[in-house]
Amino acid sequence: MARRKKSSGFEDMLDLLALLPWWICVALAGASYVFLHRVAVVPPTADLVGRPGDMMAAVIQKGFIFGLASIGQYLLPLMCLIAAAMSAWRRKQRKALVSTVAQAQDAAALDGISWREFELLVGEAYRLQGFRIIELGGNGPDGGVDLVLLKGSEKFLVQCKQWKAQRVGIATVRELYGVMAARGATGGFVVTSGRFSNDAQEFARGRNITLVDGHQLFAMVQRARQSLVKGPKATQASSTPAAAPVRTAVATASATAPVATSPAPAQPACPRCSAAMELRTARQGANAGKSFWGCSTFPGCRGTLAAA
């Protein structure tokens, strides 16, 4: 995946501020203006007493601070307001990306977006699962990590690979595993628009690394769009989509003859990769013979849920 060109300190500061919600940037603009304006209105020679040498040093020091505050009282708030606009625009862009990709016919739509849009899309898909997102862009000495996912006290690292012509190999997965250990991460995700090699899947097996291929990511994006369109209340109602049809069928059938009907359990989404889960039975261990939900992408993902 291509990487961003080198940027100036001003651009880096804007990018850093733009990671914050837009309303926080606006609040920082107001607070920085009030603080710096108070410093800028105090003359450099005010309240200076003492020996001439000390007074001269103090005048130079206060003059320097006065000059910075005079410029900064306008420059810093302006920077914060620009960052607020960038933050709001990126939020709108993420929603539009989720909507556009989710309406496509298949996962091939992931190949038609830029690498930057791919990272935004992945971040938004996880944000709508309840994670807080820190965007790194894969730059710096962090092993190519593009996103950091935060939930409570847990931290997860994400590498995004929009590779169209080749499979993601074991080197990428091994690299992320090393960074996870160095940074004390709870787990990690490697997300690609394509597929993973057999060696990569074998290495991830047994480790807290989830491999998300193009088809799984496409399913995540579709679910993310449903949460955006329906909202929290509709999302709760749709968590058991089979309930209403079953009740209707029973009511209709009861008018003619008694029918014994038991609704099938709702199929949950994997808490780790958001793929569909399958009802399975444990064959060994302390829970042998008991039912549980397992990720349909096993062994690529080992997410599980207790069956009701």
Side-chain angles (χ1 to χ4, degrees), residues 177-201:
Y177 186 67
V179 179
M180 286 167 49
R183 299 181 59 176
T186 303
F189 299 85
V190 182
V191 186
T192 180
S193 58
R195 294 191 175 276
F196 296 91
S197 68
N198 293 333
D199 289 344
Q201 296 180 45

Side-chain angles (χ1 to χ4, degrees), residues 237-238 240-253 261-264:
S238 63
T240 55
V246 168
R247 286 196 297 269
T248 303
V250 172
T252 303
T261 304
S262 58

Side-chain angles (χ1 to χ4, degrees), residues 36 39-44 61-71 73:
L36 293 174
V39 177
V41 297
V42 179
Q61 181 181 15
K62 283 201 170 187
F64 180 73
I65 296 175
F66 177 82
L68 288 179
S70 299
I71 299 173
Q73 66 177 327

Side-chain angles (χ1 to χ4, degrees), residues 54-107:
D54 294 338
M55 291 179 61
M56 180 61 66
V59 168
I60 295 175
Q61 181 181 15
K62 283 201 170 187
F64 180 73
I65 296 175
F66 177 82
L68 288 179
S70 299
I71 299 173
Q73 66 177 327
Y74 303 110
L75 181 60
L76 189 56
L78 177 61
M79 182 184 297
C80 291
L81 291 177
I82 294 174
M86 291 173 59
S87 178
W89 170 253
R90 288 178 181 178
R91 183 75 183 93
K92 182 179 179 181
Q93 186 182 28
R94 292 184 186 99
K95 288 184 178 181
L97 271 174
V98 168
S99 180
T100 300
V101 174
Q103 292 178 21
Q105 297 296 324
D106 52 40

Side-chain angles (χ1 to χ4, degrees), residues 211 213 216 270 273 275-276 278 280 294-302:
L211 305 182
D213 62 22
Q216 293 169 329
C270 177
C273 70
E278 298 175 348
R280 298 172 181 164
C295 185
S296 60
T297 65
F298 179 87
C301 174
R302 295 176 175 266

Side-chain angles (χ1 to χ4, degrees), residues 24-48:
I24 292 183
C25 294
V26 173
L28 287 175
S32 61
Y33 175 79
V34 171
F35 174 77
L36 293 174
H37 181 70
R38 289 180 178 178
V39 177
V41 297
V42 179
T45 56
D47 302 325
L48 291 178

Side-chain angles (χ1 to χ4, degrees), residues 183-237:
R183 299 181 59 176
T186 303
F189 299 85
V190 182
V191 186
T192 180
S193 58
R195 294 191 175 276
F196 296 91
S197 68
N198 293 333
D199 289 344
Q201 296 180 45
E202 184 63 30
F203 183 85
R205 190 174 295 121
R207 296 176 172 87
N208 200 17
I209 299 179
T210 301
L211 305 182
V212 182
D213 62 22
H215 294 289
Q216 293 169 329
L217 176 59
F218 185 65
M220 285 175 56
V221 172
Q222 288 183 316
R223 279 188 287 273
R225 180 175 180 271
Q226 290 177 357
S227 67
L228 285 173
V229 173
K230 296 180 179 180
K233 293 183 178 179
T235 301
Q236 292 177 359

